[in-house]
Amino acid sequence: MRAATLNALSGPWNAPVRFIGRYRSAAWGVCAGLCFLTNTVLRQSGTVDSFSLWGFLWALPVLVVDRRFAAVRRQAEARYVADLEARLAAEQ
């Protein structure tokens, strides 16, 4: 199934998806750190008075790419299961 996922993600346009898939926890950790840092800087500079959603804009690209990776993985899993069922049906 992993080979089917990598095959579906081949090509230069899917490089960010492959990168996030490989380093998912690190990407979310960096994203959380940037969100916290942005909110802290905005509060300390006086731009906002309290908690702000502006810091969470860092999460949007990671979330979009993560959802794309999950969708490709589901499609690859469905293709793999269909291939496996076809091979088993041919053997019988």
Side-chain angles (χ1 to χ4, degrees):
M1 187 173 79
R2 182 173 283 189
T5 304
L6 289 176
N7 188 23
L9 290 175
S10 63
W13 288 103
N14 287 320
V17 179
R18 287 191 310 267
F19 184 78
I20 294 293
R22 183 175 294 149
Y23 303 109
R24 178 180 274 177
S25 36
W28 280 109
V30 168
C31 174
L34 285 172
C35 291
F36 178 75
L37 180 67
T38 302
N39 280 330
T40 302
V41 168
L42 287 173
R43 277 194 320 262
Q44 289 179 353
S45 68
T47 306
V48 295
D49 293 331
S50 62
F51 180 76
S52 168
L53 294 177
W54 287 105
F56 290 102
L57 288 177
W58 292 105
L60 288 179
V62 178
L63 183 65
V64 167
V65 171
D66 192 44
R67 292 295 89 207
R68 169 80 175 120
F69 179 74
V72 166
R73 190 170 48 183
R74 278 192 305 271
Q75 290 171 355
E77 182 179 348
R79 260 185 281 140
Y80 177 75
V81 168
D83 256 0
L84 189 59
E85 287 174 350
R87 275 189 268 150
L88 288 174
E91 287 178 5
Q92 291 179 357

